[in-house]
């Protein structure tokens, strides 16, 4: 329970940082957003902004689109939220739930949430990795200490939450790939 509260606090803090902006301490220029993208089903989203938070135990990353969010109608706009054990460093992480990740502190597990419909006012849908999603994410750390995540083989995410009316007809599952989320 304590780890679940810490996980939720980390996600909330990441969202606040992303929403409020902040000072960039990165002396090297970041790659263009087109070098960072994700594909949910047939919809491709380009990174517009991101934030990373690292506590003594967890690393959290939120990556969002900007502007029209890909101009995909009710699917316009998306955000990825990734959380994993910072102490385990770079490597291959199995995608799962926060409960399983918290119960196995020495195993490279990652939780993943993909929200679609963030650039419209009609509603959004969250898709998450589950304990049966399978799939892995490759985590690297650049020279500035920033985490980068890639998911090259499609992983199946499950619809877990509908907000603001959601997206009518949104499927129960979607596949996801990620190219250089940071």
């Amino acid at each position: 329970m304590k780890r679940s509260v810490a996980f939720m606090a980390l996600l909330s803090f990441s969202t606040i940082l992303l929403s409020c902006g902040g000072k960039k301490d990165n002396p090297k220029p970041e790659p263009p957003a087109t070098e960072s993208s994700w594909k949910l089903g047939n919809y491709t989203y380009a990174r517009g902004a991101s934030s990373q938070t690292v506590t003594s135990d967890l690393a959290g990353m939120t990556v969002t689109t900007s502007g029209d969010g890909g101009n995909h109608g009710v699917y316009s706009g998306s955000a990825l939220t990734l959380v994993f054990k910072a102490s385990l460093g770079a490597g291959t992480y199995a995608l799962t739930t926060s409960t399983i990740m918290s119960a196995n502190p020495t195993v490279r597990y990652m939780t993943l949430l993909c929200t679609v419909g963030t650039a419209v006012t009609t509603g959004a849908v969250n898709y998450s990795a589950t304990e049966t999603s399978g799939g892995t994410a490759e985590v690297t750390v650049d020279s500035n200490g920033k985490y980068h995540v890639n998911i090259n083989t499609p992983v199946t995410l499950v619809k877990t939450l509908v907000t603001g009316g959601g997206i009518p007809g949104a499927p129960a599952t979607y596949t996801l790939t990620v190219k250089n989320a940071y």
Side-chain angles (χ1 to χ4, degrees):
M1 180 69 165
K2 184 188 262 187
R3 289 189 186 264
S4 293
V5 171
F7 172 73
M8 294 308 294
L10 179 66
L11 288 178
S12 297
F13 183 67
S14 295
T15 302
I16 290 168
L17 281 177
L18 185 59
S19 299
C20 298
K23 178 182 170 217
K24 291 190 176 203
D25 294 326
N26 186 354
K28 296 180 183 179
E30 292 185 355
T34 56
E35 292 182 18
S36 178
S37 63
W38 57 100
K39 185 172 183 179
L40 185 72
N42 293 324
Y43 303 105
T44 300
Y45 301 95
R47 174 188 176 272
S50 67
S51 69
Q52 292 190 16
T53 305
V54 179
T55 66
S56 61
D57 191 36
L58 296 174
M61 177 188 313
T62 301
V63 185
T64 65
T65 58
S66 59
D68 66 12
N71 196 23
H72 300 303
V74 294
Y75 289 88
S76 295
S78 183
L80 286 176
T81 303
L82 309 145
V83 177
F84 53 96
K85 300 285 184 176
S87 60
L88 300 178
T92 302
Y93 285 74
L95 299 173
T96 192
T97 65
S98 60
T99 302
I100 291 175
M101 185 177 78
S102 295
N104 297 280
T106 61
V107 179
R108 283 191 170 135
Y109 282 135
M110 176 185 289
T111 65
L112 182 146
L113 171 69
C114 183
T115 306
V116 292
T118 61
V120 297
T121 59
T122 54
V125 178
N126 290 347
Y127 289 90
S128 301
T130 67
E131 59 275 357
T132 59
S133 289
T136 59
E138 294 298 323
V139 175
T140 58
V141 182
D142 67 20
S143 61
N144 294 314
K146 187 175 280 194
Y147 291 100
H148 294 254
V149 176
N150 287 283
I151 300 173
N152 299 315
T153 302
V155 61
T156 300
L157 303 182
V158 175
K159 185 181 349 179
T160 54
L161 182 66
V162 173
T163 58
I167 299 173
T173 62
Y174 260 126
T175 58
L176 174 82
T177 57
V178 177
K179 177 184 172 189
N180 194 29
Y182 66 94

